[in-house]
Amino acid sequence: MTPPIPAINPVTGGGMPLSAMTPEATPLPSARIEMPEELREAAQTTAASPTADSFSSMLGQMVSDVNTQQKVSAQAVSALQSGQNVPLHQAVISMEEANVSFQLMVEVRNRLMDAYQEIMRMQI
């Protein structure tokens, strides 16, 4: 029988309290996947650019971030497939991050479309 999964601690956000974590139980730092130079420059220019208060620039930034995450995920998978020294868990985490961010973007789009349709149905 498998042991029960511990509840998430609201203080630490982890599965066990900080006091219960021993040096043996602490997770190892994960390996980082290096971004290609052109993606790193694109991420730095978007992060360094002054943030405008307009809604369209916020949406454009969101789409750009999702695109960057998709590219990094594709790079991690191709590096894993080609036999480079990329941990499997890191590639899977990268793919899931890209998937979740894409799903969020689609849901924001759906909500915007619903709001637009509701506004168009209003009587003036």
Side-chain angles (χ1 to χ4, degrees):
M1 178 174 237
T2 60
I5 298 173
I8 294 178
N9 186 341
V11 175
T12 62
M16 64 178 102
L18 285 176
S19 60
M21 292 188 96
T22 62
E24 297 82 32
T26 56
L28 295 174
S30 61
R32 300 302 298 173
I33 299 172
E34 287 295 319
M35 269 204 245
E37 188 64 32
E38 60 271 3
L39 289 179
R40 189 176 312 130
E41 289 173 3
Q44 288 174 350
T45 56
T46 56
S49 64
T51 57
D53 292 331
S54 70
F55 187 68
S56 64
S57 66
M58 182 186 70
L59 287 177
Q61 180 67 33
M62 181 180 180
V63 170
S64 174
D65 292 344
V66 169
N67 186 39
T68 303
Q69 285 182 336
Q70 292 284 339
K71 287 180 181 178
V72 169
S73 173
Q75 178 194 8
V77 170
S78 65
L80 183 68
Q81 288 174 341
S82 66
Q84 294 178 7
N85 191 13
V86 176
L88 176 64
H89 70 276
Q90 192 66 34
V92 172
I93 288 171
S94 176
M95 288 181 352
E96 284 301 312
E97 284 177 349
N99 185 26
V100 168
S101 64
F102 182 76
Q103 288 176 353
L104 174 67
M105 183 183 69
V106 169
E107 286 301 317
V108 168
R109 175 211 164 260
N110 291 344
R111 295 291 174 124
L112 286 172
M113 292 302 294
D114 290 341
Y116 174 76
Q117 289 171 354
E118 184 68 27
I119 290 171
M120 293 306 290
R121 282 184 282 214
M122 285 183 182
Q123 296 289 327
I124 296 181

